[in-house]
Amino acid sequence: TFLLWLLCCKTGLVPIGWYGDENPIAFSLMFGIAALVISCPCALGLATPTAVMVGTGVGASHGILMKGGETLEVASKANVVLFDKTGTLTRGKPAVTEFTRVASDEFLRSLMTGDSTMSPDDYIVWLLGSLERNSEHILATAIVKFTEQKIENLLRLNPLAQPTDFVAMTGRGASGVINGNMKVAIGNRSFAERENMALSQEVEECLQRFESEGKTAIIAGINGTACAVLGIADEIKTEAPDTVRYLRKLGMDVWMVTGDSKRTAHAIARQLDLPEDRVIAEALPTSKIDQVRKLQQEGKIVCMVGDGVNDAPALAEADVGISMGTGSDIAAEASDMVIVGGNIAGTCTALHLSRAIFRRIQLNFAFSMGYNIFCIPIAAGVLFPFLQLRLPPTVAAIAMALSSVSVVFSSLALRLYKPPDIAGTAQTSRQKYKIPKILRLGRARNEQQEYKPVRPQEAAWSSDDESDDLEYFSDELV
């Protein structure tokens, strides 16, 4: 800018009257300094980091921990959400609600070797508790808890045994040897078939009944014979249906993946208002990774939401991994975001906030670029030939500072962010507030509706037990 104006002055293109007694070098230098100062890219440099810093702080205040700016950009573009079921869409506190013995008394008593302190039902429960006592699986914990509750008194005389040859198959079941001669196995249908258990009609009916109710149905067998069918229920989180509904309303493709049978998975999907073609049942940990990769190959940006150790590979593989803070440490480490409280509605907030932050970054860039595009030509003297208007360097410095301050304030506006109302139709109930006696009318009525003065010795702020149905601001009834 300086050289161009100086050249124009030396060649006579700039009339002498424009700069008068001023030296052409000083005249040109004023334009050069103003253009140099106002073109400082501070605003451009602050556009992203300030928005990310404020946005991550806002996320933390809403119970969402984010691991960097790149995560925000990818999350803002996510169009597929893949949910794990247990512990994510459900409360993660399964409990045995059904226990049906299908083996005969004769068969079980032949295994009890003269132990008359237990009934056949109690004996099966004792064996299952002994098998699962060392397992960390969430369903195994439910079985052990069921055992402790059902035969609490018997456990004082017959504590749980230590299994040997224990084998656990992820997503299938577990087996082991109790008392040296009884092989006990417990798991889903495919695991029972692997253990060569013959499933009778009674067993099939129990499995179908439990699964149609949305419960996880598992089969317990001893020495290759199916002895009992258990139904384990895990209550769906209250906010889960609204969360799924909200994400679908945003146009996202929502999936649910679970290791449960198809019948159980579809029963849960109906409670979530989720189409059956968006449910992946009987899934192993590798199946979750395969589904993530399949969706990515279709050009989708996948957000995986889970909480367990089995979800960690899929969380790491997905474009965006979101874990529940109530889940395992491995899942939290593998994910890009952590919902501290375990509220699944935080998924909506995380994705919605990511979009808000990314839009703010784009707005900051657009403002910074537009500001420079508009101000630099003015500082360079484009208007001087027409209006004799020149931008002093001091004013250019102030304008440059204002651009940076404007970007910072734009980012700070994210602090006004409010999370989405996933319920959508929630209506706040009308609240009623009792008016202190000091603010009520200083008169009361007797039973004949005659007015009489309020007794002065009554405390102005004393408690009162009047019914909530009374009309407030009306005269006090005595």
Side-chain angles (χ1 to χ4, degrees), residues 268-318:
I268 297 295
R270 285 192 294 271
Q271 299 179 46
L272 297 171
D273 195 21
L274 194 64
E276 293 185 357
D277 62 347
R278 289 296 182 267
V279 177
I280 303 174
E282 300 177 357
L284 298 174
T286 54
S287 302
K288 299 178 182 180
I289 301 177
D290 294 340
Q291 181 63 23
V292 169
R293 291 174 177 171
K294 178 181 177 182
L295 293 170
Q296 289 174 333
Q297 290 173 358
E298 296 175 0
K300 305 291 182 64
I301 298 179
V302 182
C303 173
M304 174 69 192
V305 186
D307 74 312
V309 175
N310 295 340
D311 302 324
L315 289 170
E317 184 69 24

Short mmCIF file of all heavy atoms in Angstrom, two decimals, residues 268-318:
data_model
loop_
_atom_site.label_atom_id
_atom_site.label_comp_id
_atom_site.label_asym_id
_atom_site.label_seq_id
_atom_site.Cartn_x
_atom_site.Cartn_y
_atom_site.Cartn_z
N ILE A 268 -37.93 -54.38 23.61
CA ILE A 268 -37.34 -53.13 24.11
C ILE A 268 -37.49 -52.02 23.08
O ILE A 268 -37.79 -50.87 23.43
CB ILE A 268 -35.86 -53.34 24.45
CG1 ILE A 268 -35.70 -54.38 25.58
CG2 ILE A 268 -35.21 -52.03 24.85
CD1 ILE A 268 -36.28 -53.95 26.89
N ALA A 269 -37.31 -52.36 21.80
CA ALA A 269 -37.42 -51.36 20.74
C ALA A 269 -38.83 -50.77 20.68
O ALA A 269 -38.99 -49.57 20.42
CB ALA A 269 -37.04 -51.98 19.40
N ARG A 270 -39.82 -51.59 20.93
CA ARG A 270 -41.19 -51.07 20.92
C ARG A 270 -41.40 -50.05 22.04
O ARG A 270 -42.12 -49.05 21.87
CB ARG A 270 -42.19 -52.22 21.05
CG ARG A 270 -42.35 -53.05 19.78
CD ARG A 270 -43.54 -53.97 19.87
NE ARG A 270 -43.36 -55.00 20.88
CZ ARG A 270 -42.80 -56.19 20.65
NH1 ARG A 270 -42.35 -56.49 19.44
NH2 ARG A 270 -42.68 -57.08 21.62
N GLN A 271 -40.78 -50.28 23.17
CA GLN A 271 -40.89 -49.32 24.27
C GLN A 271 -40.17 -48.01 23.95
O GLN A 271 -40.53 -46.96 24.47
CB GLN A 271 -40.30 -49.92 25.55
CG GLN A 271 -41.02 -51.18 26.02
CD GLN A 271 -40.40 -51.76 27.28
OE1 GLN A 271 -40.11 -51.03 28.23
NE2 GLN A 271 -40.19 -53.06 27.30
N LEU A 272 -39.17 -48.10 23.09
CA LEU A 272 -38.40 -46.91 22.70
C LEU A 272 -38.93 -46.25 21.44
O LEU A 272 -38.37 -45.25 20.99
CB LEU A 272 -36.93 -47.28 22.49
CG LEU A 272 -36.17 -47.81 23.70
CD1 LEU A 272 -34.80 -48.34 23.28
CD2 LEU A 272 -36.01 -46.72 24.74
N ASP A 273 -39.98 -46.84 20.87
CA ASP A 273 -40.54 -46.33 19.60
C ASP A 273 -39.48 -46.36 18.51
O ASP A 273 -39.34 -45.42 17.72
CB ASP A 273 -41.07 -44.91 19.80
CG ASP A 273 -41.97 -44.48 18.64
OD1 ASP A 273 -42.49 -45.37 17.95
OD2 ASP A 273 -42.15 -43.27 18.43
N LEU A 274 -38.73 -47.46 18.47
CA LEU A 274 -37.64 -47.63 17.51
C LEU A 274 -38.02 -48.73 16.52
O LEU A 274 -38.46 -49.81 16.93
CB LEU A 274 -36.36 -48.01 18.25
CG LEU A 274 -35.03 -47.94 17.49
CD1 LEU A 274 -34.73 -46.50 17.09
CD2 LEU A 274 -33.90 -48.48 18.35
N PRO A 275 -37.91 -48.49 15.21
CA PRO A 275 -38.25 -49.52 14.22
C PRO A 275 -37.42 -50.78 14.40
O PRO A 275 -36.24 -50.72 14.79
CB PRO A 275 -37.95 -48.83 12.88
CG PRO A 275 -37.95 -47.37 13.18
CD PRO A 275 -37.47 -47.23 14.58
N GLU A 276 -38.01 -51.92 14.12
CA GLU A 276 -37.31 -53.19 14.30
C GLU A 276 -36.13 -53.34 13.34
O GLU A 276 -35.19 -54.07 13.66
CB GLU A 276 -38.29 -54.36 14.13
CG GLU A 276 -39.35 -54.43 15.22
CD GLU A 276 -40.22 -55.66 15.11
OE1 GLU A 276 -40.02 -56.43 14.13
OE2 GLU A 276 -41.09 -55.87 15.98
N ASP A 277 -36.19 -52.67 12.19
CA ASP A 277 -35.07 -52.78 11.25
C ASP A 277 -33.87 -51.95 11.69
O ASP A 277 -32.84 -51.94 11.02
CB ASP A 277 -35.51 -52.38 9.85
CG ASP A 277 -35.98 -50.93 9.77
OD1 ASP A 277 -36.20 -50.32 10.84
OD2 ASP A 277 -36.14 -50.42 8.66
N ARG A 278 -34.00 -51.25 12.81
CA ARG A 278 -32.88 -50.50 13.37
C ARG A 278 -32.39 -51.14 14.67
O ARG A 278 -31.80 -50.47 15.51
CB ARG A 278 -33.30 -49.04 13.63
CG ARG A 278 -33.48 -48.23 12.34
CD ARG A 278 -32.15 -48.13 11.61
NE ARG A 278 -32.23 -47.33 10.40
CZ ARG A 278 -32.45 -47.81 9.19
NH1 ARG A 278 -32.66 -49.12 9.02
NH2 ARG A 278 -32.47 -47.02 8.13
N VAL A 279 -32.63 -52.43 14.81
CA VAL A 279 -32.22 -53.18 16.00
C VAL A 279 -31.30 -54.31 15.58
O VAL A 279 -31.60 -55.08 14.65
CB VAL A 279 -33.44 -53.75 16.74
CG1 VAL A 279 -33.00 -54.58 17.94
CG2 VAL A 279 -34.36 -52.63 17.21
N ILE A 280 -30.15 -54.40 16.25
CA ILE A 280 -29.20 -55.48 16.01
C ILE A 280 -29.17 -56.33 17.27
O ILE A 280 -28.71 -55.88 18.32
CB ILE A 280 -27.80 -54.94 15.69
CG1 ILE A 280 -27.86 -54.01 14.48
CG2 ILE A 280 -26.82 -56.08 15.44
CD1 ILE A 280 -26.56 -53.32 14.18
N ALA A 281 -29.68 -57.54 17.19
CA ALA A 281 -29.78 -58.42 18.35
C ALA A 281 -28.72 -59.51 18.29
O ALA A 281 -28.09 -59.75 17.26
CB ALA A 281 -31.17 -59.04 18.41
N GLU A 282 -28.52 -60.16 19.45
CA GLU A 282 -27.57 -61.26 19.59
C GLU A 282 -26.18 -60.83 19.11
O GLU A 282 -25.48 -61.58 18.43
CB GLU A 282 -28.06 -62.49 18.84
CG GLU A 282 -29.41 -63.00 19.33
CD GLU A 282 -29.92 -64.19 18.53
OE1 GLU A 282 -29.23 -64.57 17.55
OE2 GLU A 282 -30.98 -64.73 18.86
N ALA A 283 -25.82 -59.62 19.45
CA ALA A 283 -24.56 -59.04 18.97
C ALA A 283 -23.43 -59.30 19.94
O ALA A 283 -23.59 -59.18 21.16
CB ALA A 283 -24.73 -57.54 18.75
N LEU A 284 -22.28 -59.64 19.40
CA LEU A 284 -21.04 -59.76 20.17
C LEU A 284 -20.29 -58.43 20.09
O LEU A 284 -20.64 -57.56 19.28
CB LEU A 284 -20.18 -60.89 19.59
CG LEU A 284 -20.78 -62.29 19.64
CD1 LEU A 284 -19.88 -63.27 18.89
CD2 LEU A 284 -20.99 -62.74 21.07
N PRO A 285 -19.28 -58.22 20.93
CA PRO A 285 -18.50 -56.97 20.82
C PRO A 285 -17.96 -56.72 19.43
O PRO A 285 -17.92 -55.57 18.97
CB PRO A 285 -17.38 -57.20 21.84
CG PRO A 285 -17.98 -58.11 22.87
CD PRO A 285 -18.89 -59.03 22.10
N THR A 286 -17.57 -57.79 18.73
CA THR A 286 -17.08 -57.61 17.36
C THR A 286 -18.20 -57.19 16.41
O THR A 286 -17.95 -56.51 15.43
CB THR A 286 -16.45 -58.92 16.86
OG1 THR A 286 -17.40 -59.99 17.02
CG2 THR A 286 -15.20 -59.25 17.67
N SER A 287 -19.42 -57.59 16.73
CA SER A 287 -20.56 -57.20 15.89
C SER A 287 -20.79 -55.70 15.94
O SER A 287 -21.19 -55.08 14.94
CB SER A 287 -21.83 -57.94 16.34
OG SER A 287 -21.65 -59.34 16.29
N LYS A 288 -20.54 -55.09 17.10
CA LYS A 288 -20.70 -53.64 17.22
C LYS A 288 -19.68 -52.92 16.34
O LYS A 288 -20.01 -51.93 15.67
CB LYS A 288 -20.54 -53.23 18.68
CG LYS A 288 -21.57 -53.85 19.62
CD LYS A 288 -21.33 -53.44 21.06
CE LYS A 288 -22.33 -54.12 21.99
NZ LYS A 288 -22.13 -53.76 23.42
N ILE A 289 -18.44 -53.42 16.34
CA ILE A 289 -17.42 -52.81 15.49
C ILE A 289 -17.79 -52.98 14.03
O ILE A 289 -17.64 -52.05 13.22
CB ILE A 289 -16.04 -53.44 15.78
CG1 ILE A 289 -15.66 -53.25 17.24
CG2 ILE A 289 -14.98 -52.83 14.87
CD1 ILE A 289 -14.35 -53.90 17.62
N ASP A 290 -18.26 -54.16 13.66
CA ASP A 290 -18.64 -54.42 12.26
C ASP A 290 -19.76 -53.48 11.82
O ASP A 290 -19.75 -52.99 10.69
CB ASP A 290 -19.08 -55.88 12.10
CG ASP A 290 -17.94 -56.86 12.32
OD1 ASP A 290 -16.77 -56.43 12.21
OD2 ASP A 290 -18.21 -58.04 12.62
N GLN A 291 -20.73 -53.24 12.71
CA GLN A 291 -21.83 -52.34 12.35
C GLN A 291 -21.34 -50.91 12.19
O GLN A 291 -21.78 -50.20 11.27
CB GLN A 291 -22.92 -52.41 13.42
CG GLN A 291 -24.14 -51.54 13.14
CD GLN A 291 -24.87 -51.94 11.88
OE1 GLN A 291 -24.76 -53.08 11.43
NE2 GLN A 291 -25.62 -51.01 11.31
N VAL A 292 -20.44 -50.48 13.06
CA VAL A 292 -19.87 -49.13 12.94
C VAL A 292 -19.15 -48.98 11.60
O VAL A 292 -19.33 -47.99 10.88
CB VAL A 292 -18.92 -48.83 14.11
CG1 VAL A 292 -18.13 -47.55 13.86
CG2 VAL A 292 -19.69 -48.71 15.42
N ARG A 293 -18.34 -49.97 11.26
CA ARG A 293 -17.58 -49.90 10.00
C ARG A 293 -18.52 -49.96 8.80
O ARG A 293 -18.28 -49.27 7.79
CB ARG A 293 -16.58 -51.05 9.95
CG ARG A 293 -15.44 -50.90 10.96
CD ARG A 293 -14.55 -52.13 10.98
NE ARG A 293 -13.42 -51.95 11.90
CZ ARG A 293 -12.60 -52.93 12.25
NH1 ARG A 293 -12.76 -54.15 11.75
NH2 ARG A 293 -11.61 -52.69 13.10
N LYS A 294 -19.56 -50.75 8.90
CA LYS A 294 -20.52 -50.86 7.79
C LYS A 294 -21.19 -49.51 7.53
O LYS A 294 -21.32 -49.09 6.37
CB LYS A 294 -21.57 -51.91 8.12
CG LYS A 294 -22.65 -52.06 7.06
CD LYS A 294 -23.68 -53.11 7.48
CE LYS A 294 -24.80 -53.20 6.44
NZ LYS A 294 -25.83 -54.18 6.85
N LEU A 295 -21.60 -48.84 8.58
CA LEU A 295 -22.23 -47.53 8.41
C LEU A 295 -21.24 -46.49 7.90
O LEU A 295 -21.60 -45.63 7.09
CB LEU A 295 -22.83 -47.07 9.75
CG LEU A 295 -24.01 -47.90 10.27
CD1 LEU A 295 -24.35 -47.50 11.71
CD2 LEU A 295 -25.23 -47.71 9.38
N GLN A 296 -19.99 -46.58 8.35
CA GLN A 296 -18.97 -45.64 7.87
C GLN A 296 -18.69 -45.85 6.38
O GLN A 296 -18.46 -44.89 5.65
CB GLN A 296 -17.69 -45.80 8.68
CG GLN A 296 -17.79 -45.28 10.11
CD GLN A 296 -16.56 -45.58 10.94
OE1 GLN A 296 -15.85 -46.55 10.67
NE2 GLN A 296 -16.31 -44.76 11.96
N GLN A 297 -18.72 -47.10 5.94
CA GLN A 297 -18.50 -47.38 4.52
C GLN A 297 -19.62 -46.83 3.65
O GLN A 297 -19.43 -46.60 2.46
CB GLN A 297 -18.37 -48.89 4.32
CG GLN A 297 -17.07 -49.46 4.89
CD GLN A 297 -17.01 -50.98 4.82
OE1 GLN A 297 -17.97 -51.62 4.36
NE2 GLN A 297 -15.91 -51.56 5.26
N GLU A 298 -20.79 -46.63 4.26
CA GLU A 298 -21.92 -46.05 3.54
C GLU A 298 -21.85 -44.53 3.51
O GLU A 298 -22.76 -43.87 3.02
CB GLU A 298 -23.24 -46.49 4.18
CG GLU A 298 -23.49 -48.00 4.10
CD GLU A 298 -24.73 -48.42 4.86
OE1 GLU A 298 -25.40 -47.52 5.46
OE2 GLU A 298 -25.07 -49.62 4.85
N GLY A 299 -20.77 -43.98 4.05
CA GLY A 299 -20.58 -42.54 4.05
C GLY A 299 -21.21 -41.84 5.24
O GLY A 299 -21.31 -40.60 5.25
N LYS A 300 -21.62 -42.59 6.24
CA LYS A 300 -22.25 -42.00 7.42
C LYS A 300 -21.19 -41.61 8.45
O LYS A 300 -20.10 -42.19 8.50
CB LYS A 300 -23.22 -43.01 8.06
CG LYS A 300 -24.28 -43.56 7.11
CD LYS A 300 -25.28 -42.50 6.72
CE LYS A 300 -26.35 -43.07 5.81
NZ LYS A 300 -27.17 -44.11 6.47
N ILE A 301 -21.51 -40.61 9.23
CA ILE A 301 -20.66 -40.20 10.36
C ILE A 301 -21.32 -40.75 11.62
O ILE A 301 -22.41 -40.32 12.00
CB ILE A 301 -20.51 -38.68 10.44
CG1 ILE A 301 -19.82 -38.18 9.16
CG2 ILE A 301 -19.70 -38.27 11.67
CD1 ILE A 301 -19.64 -36.69 9.11
N VAL A 302 -20.67 -41.71 12.24
CA VAL A 302 -21.29 -42.53 13.28
C VAL A 302 -20.91 -42.04 14.67
O VAL A 302 -19.73 -41.80 14.96
CB VAL A 302 -20.89 -44.02 13.12
CG1 VAL A 302 -21.58 -44.88 14.17
CG2 VAL A 302 -21.25 -44.50 11.72
N CYS A 303 -21.92 -41.93 15.51
CA CYS A 303 -21.73 -41.64 16.94
C CYS A 303 -22.13 -42.87 17.72
O CYS A 303 -23.28 -43.32 17.63
CB CYS A 303 -22.56 -40.44 17.35
SG CYS A 303 -22.55 -40.11 19.13
N MET A 304 -21.20 -43.46 18.45
CA MET A 304 -21.45 -44.66 19.25
C MET A 304 -21.62 -44.25 20.71
O MET A 304 -20.81 -43.49 21.25
CB MET A 304 -20.29 -45.65 19.11
CG MET A 304 -20.39 -46.87 20.02
SD MET A 304 -21.73 -47.98 19.56
CE MET A 304 -21.81 -49.06 21.00
N VAL A 305 -22.68 -44.75 21.35
CA VAL A 305 -22.95 -44.44 22.75
C VAL A 305 -22.98 -45.75 23.54
O VAL A 305 -23.77 -46.65 23.25
CB VAL A 305 -24.30 -43.70 22.92
CG1 VAL A 305 -24.49 -43.26 24.37
CG2 VAL A 305 -24.37 -42.51 21.99
N GLY A 306 -22.08 -45.88 24.52
CA GLY A 306 -22.01 -47.10 25.32
C GLY A 306 -21.44 -46.82 26.69
O GLY A 306 -21.11 -45.68 27.03
N ASP A 307 -21.32 -47.89 27.47
CA ASP A 307 -20.82 -47.69 28.84
C ASP A 307 -19.93 -48.81 29.34
O ASP A 307 -19.25 -48.65 30.35
CB ASP A 307 -22.00 -47.56 29.81
CG ASP A 307 -22.69 -48.89 30.06
OD1 ASP A 307 -22.97 -49.60 29.08
OD2 ASP A 307 -22.92 -49.23 31.23
N GLY A 308 -19.91 -49.95 28.67
CA GLY A 308 -19.22 -51.11 29.22
C GLY A 308 -17.87 -51.37 28.56
O GLY A 308 -17.48 -50.74 27.58
N VAL A 309 -17.17 -52.35 29.14
CA VAL A 309 -15.88 -52.76 28.59
C VAL A 309 -16.06 -53.29 27.18
O VAL A 309 -15.24 -53.03 26.28
CB VAL A 309 -15.24 -53.83 29.50
CG1 VAL A 309 -13.95 -54.35 28.88
CG2 VAL A 309 -14.97 -53.26 30.88
N ASN A 310 -17.15 -54.01 26.95
CA ASN A 310 -17.41 -54.58 25.63
C ASN A 310 -17.67 -53.49 24.58
O ASN A 310 -17.55 -53.76 23.38
CB ASN A 310 -18.61 -55.53 25.68
CG ASN A 310 -18.33 -56.75 26.55
OD1 ASN A 310 -17.18 -57.08 26.81
ND2 ASN A 310 -19.39 -57.40 27.00
N ASP A 311 -18.04 -52.30 25.01
CA ASP A 311 -18.33 -51.22 24.07
C ASP A 311 -17.08 -50.43 23.69
O ASP A 311 -17.11 -49.66 22.72
CB ASP A 311 -19.35 -50.25 24.68
CG ASP A 311 -20.65 -50.93 25.06
OD1 ASP A 311 -21.06 -51.85 24.33
OD2 ASP A 311 -21.25 -50.56 26.09
N ALA A 312 -16.00 -50.61 24.44
CA ALA A 312 -14.80 -49.80 24.22
C ALA A 312 -14.26 -49.89 22.79
O ALA A 312 -13.92 -48.86 22.20
CB ALA A 312 -13.72 -50.18 25.24
N PRO A 313 -14.14 -51.08 22.19
CA PRO A 313 -13.64 -51.13 20.80
C PRO A 313 -14.51 -50.34 19.83
O PRO A 313 -13.99 -49.64 18.95
CB PRO A 313 -13.64 -52.63 20.48
CG PRO A 313 -13.55 -53.31 21.81
CD PRO A 313 -14.32 -52.45 22.73
N ALA A 314 -15.83 -50.45 19.98
CA ALA A 314 -16.73 -49.72 19.08
C ALA A 314 -16.67 -48.23 19.34
O ALA A 314 -16.76 -47.42 18.41
CB ALA A 314 -18.17 -50.23 19.25
N LEU A 315 -16.51 -47.82 20.60
CA LEU A 315 -16.38 -46.40 20.93
C LEU A 315 -15.14 -45.80 20.29
O LEU A 315 -15.15 -44.67 19.80
CB LEU A 315 -16.32 -46.21 22.45
CG LEU A 315 -17.62 -46.46 23.23
CD1 LEU A 315 -17.34 -46.48 24.73
CD2 LEU A 315 -18.66 -45.41 22.90
N ALA A 316 -14.06 -46.58 20.29
CA ALA A 316 -12.82 -46.09 19.68
C ALA A 316 -12.90 -46.09 18.16
O ALA A 316 -12.30 -45.23 17.50
CB ALA A 316 -11.64 -46.95 20.14
N GLU A 317 -13.65 -47.02 17.58
CA GLU A 317 -13.76 -47.14 16.14
C GLU A 317 -14.68 -46.08 15.54
O GLU A 317 -14.47 -45.63 14.41
CB GLU A 317 -14.27 -48.54 15.77
CG GLU A 317 -14.34 -48.81 14.28
CD GLU A 317 -12.95 -48.92 13.65
OE1 GLU A 317 -11.99 -49.23 14.38
OE2 GLU A 317 -12.83 -48.68 12.43
N ALA A 318 -15.70 -45.67 16.28
CA ALA A 318 -16.69 -44.72 15.76
C ALA A 318 -16.05 -43.35 15.55
O ALA A 318 -15.01 -43.02 16.12
CB ALA A 318 -17.87 -44.62 16.72
#
